[in-house]
Amino acid sequence: GVSSYYDGSIIEVLDTDTIIVADKNGRIIRTTNSGTHWQLSIPFSYFRGTWFTDIHFPTKEVGYVSGGSYFGLPSILIKTIDGGQTWDSLSSSFSSGGNFYNAIHFINKDTGFLIGDNYNILMTTDGGVTLSYLVTGTSPLLYFSDIIFTKNNVGFVSASESIIGTNKKSYSILKTTDLGQTFIPVYTDTMSGAVGFNNRVISKLFFFDNLNGYAVGGNGTFLKTTDGGISWSPQQINPVSTIYKIAFANDSLGFALSDNAIYRTSNAGVLLDLKENSMLNIELFPNPTKGVFSLKTSENKILNVTIMDLSGKELMNVSSNYSQIDISNFPSGIYFLAITTEEGFATKKIIKN
């Protein structure tokens, strides 16, 4: 499956029917019929005040969710062996050394890797029952942000490192071919001009096969590889913004989430064709809606509205300046609106009850 993030929730798409959402309040929401019906569960009531950070299913039945808290229960790791119907907590077995497991990736149902927020990488070979430190960073010089393995067990880690004697950092993608025993850098950048903590990180790595992958992050970073991570080519993102997550529904249709836009590609990232003008003032109400909702903008004429489901499938296209849209016949769930105005594009999320 592929995972993504929106409004504090993490999403795993196992297939065209099964979608699992974990949110920042310790809740698991699951559908097995493409969103027609959703099942809500709170597997651990004491996770209130704790939020989830990443999700990965190495098989359709076995999956893991990570997270933590600064003021609640730290170092969260939970596991399902029945496709998300029930969950067991593995959180008491080990500490990340900090407050969070920020990222996880499993190469099979038992062997996985975790990124802790205390400058370390951890590994499990028994399905999360026991964990051990694989790599320990040197705070505050080295920080790891994400980890991923391709199907041939070649791994990549994104890292940032302080440059001694300066207030600058270098940002790297590291490659391992021996399951994390050794790493070699395959990409380095100083992200010149990046401003703010959140703009100074490669936040997400994604591969949809052994050769084709992406890395996104601060200062508009959007990198693509077509040779298995040997070389990385930058793609232009405008406006420049921090890109937090990227996910693909198939080998060509993908979405990237920034702090002010959702970017969409239908040609494997050659050109991102949905860019949001963050200055546009467009309101949706009511949201959530039972079916009919309104779009309001005070300054810009709406030319076109495209409604898509979570997989990126286009469900409706309204090509005139409608003030109301009716999605009463849509199943309950989350939908994205790509709105074209005289001044540019905007993206919005609508929830159908």
Side-chain angles (χ1 to χ4, degrees):
V2 296
S3 58
S4 187
Y5 174 95
Y6 201 90
D7 283 0
S9 298
I10 48 177
I11 301 172
E12 180 88 346
V13 182
L14 298 183
D15 52 40
T16 56
D17 294 319
T18 307
I19 302 168
I20 298 175
V21 178
D23 73 6
K24 59 185 177 183
N25 292 313
R27 300 182 299 182
I28 304 290
I29 307 168
R30 178 175 177 267
T31 179
T32 56
N33 50 20
S34 301
T36 302
H37 299 288
W38 292 84
Q39 297 173 328
L40 169 65
S41 65
I42 304 174
F44 310 101
S45 60
Y46 52 91
F47 279 11
R48 294 291 190 179
T50 296
W51 56 93
F52 297 129
T53 57
D54 203 4
I55 182 171
H56 187 226
F57 275 69
T59 73
K60 290 185 65 173
E61 293 77 27
V62 178
Y64 299 83
V65 173
S66 63
S69 176
Y70 291 113
F71 43 81
L73 190 64
S75 303
I76 294 299
L77 183 64
I78 64 175
K79 178 181 179 180
T80 179
I81 59 174
D82 56 15
Q85 297 181 66
T86 60
W87 296 83
D88 290 324
S89 175
L90 304 170
S91 304
S92 61
S93 63
F94 197 83
S95 171
S96 68
N99 295 94
F100 291 89
Y101 295 126
N102 287 329
I104 54 175
H105 187 88
F106 280 73
I107 61 174
N108 56 48
K109 65 183 181 65
D110 295 318
T111 302
F113 301 83
L114 300 87
I115 299 290
D117 66 344
N118 198 28
Y119 313 95
N120 54 60
I121 302 175
L122 304 99
M123 182 179 183
T124 178
T125 57
D126 56 10
V129 176
T130 59
L131 300 171
S132 60
Y133 286 110
L134 186 64
V135 177
T136 301
T138 53
S139 172
L141 296 180
L142 186 61
Y143 173 82
F144 303 108
S145 51
D146 196 26
I147 188 167
I148 192 171
F149 281 80
T150 59
K151 293 180 180 180
N152 59 353
N153 289 341
V154 175
F156 297 87
V157 173
S158 54
S160 60
E161 186 173 7
S162 298
I163 301 175
I164 298 176
T166 74
N167 61 355
K168 298 180 179 180
K169 290 185 177 182
S170 64
Y171 308 87
S172 303
I173 299 173
L174 311 177
K175 180 179 178 180
T176 177
T177 57
D178 53 12
L179 297 183
Q181 299 303 308
T182 58
F183 290 90
I184 58 170
V186 290
Y187 179 85
T188 302
D189 183 15
T190 59
M191 288 191 191
S192 176
V195 178
F197 174 77
N198 288 333
N199 281 335
R200 296 183 175 276
V201 66
I202 295 175
S203 54
K204 192 65 179 176
L205 302 166
F206 181 84
F207 277 77
F208 61 78
D209 58 30
N210 291 338
L211 296 177
N212 296 281
Y214 301 87
V216 297
N219 205 36
T221 296
F222 190 96
L223 306 170
K224 180 180 180 181
T225 179
T226 58
D227 56 13
I230 297 173
S231 61
W232 296 80
S233 302
Q235 310 292 304
Q236 183 62 40
I237 299 293
N238 290 303
V240 171
S241 58
T242 298
I243 303 173
Y244 296 105
K245 300 289 180 178
I246 185 169
F248 275 72
N250 52 45
D251 60 4
S252 59
L253 178 62
F255 297 87
L257 173 68
S258 80
D259 49 6
N260 62 5
I262 297 172
Y263 297 90
R264 177 179 183 270
T265 178
S266 58
N267 53 11
V270 176
L271 176 65
L272 292 176
D273 55 19
L274 178 60
K275 305 181 180 71
E276 178 173 344
N277 182 342
S278 60
M279 301 301 292
L280 295 179
N281 183 20
I282 299 176
E283 298 179 16
L284 300 181
F285 58 92
N287 189 12
T289 179
K290 293 183 179 180
V292 179
F293 64 93
S294 299
L295 286 77
K296 180 181 178 181
T297 176
S298 58
E299 301 175 356
N300 305 288
K301 182 180 179 181
I302 296 175
L303 304 176
N304 179 271
V305 178
T306 299
I307 302 178
M308 299 172 287
D309 64 15
L310 289 175
S311 70
K313 180 182 178 181
E314 184 176 315
L315 304 176
M316 178 185 291
N317 189 285
V318 180
S319 57
S320 59
N321 191 25
Y322 280 80
S323 59
Q324 288 188 328
I325 294 178
D326 188 354
I327 58 171
S328 300
N329 61 334
F330 284 20
S332 299
I334 300 172
Y335 299 92
F336 293 119
L337 276 66
I339 305 167
T340 305
T341 77
E342 292 175 327
E343 299 298 324
F345 297 97
T347 54
K348 296 291 181 180
K349 183 183 74 171
I350 189 79
I351 300 174
K352 167 67 173 11
N353 285 333

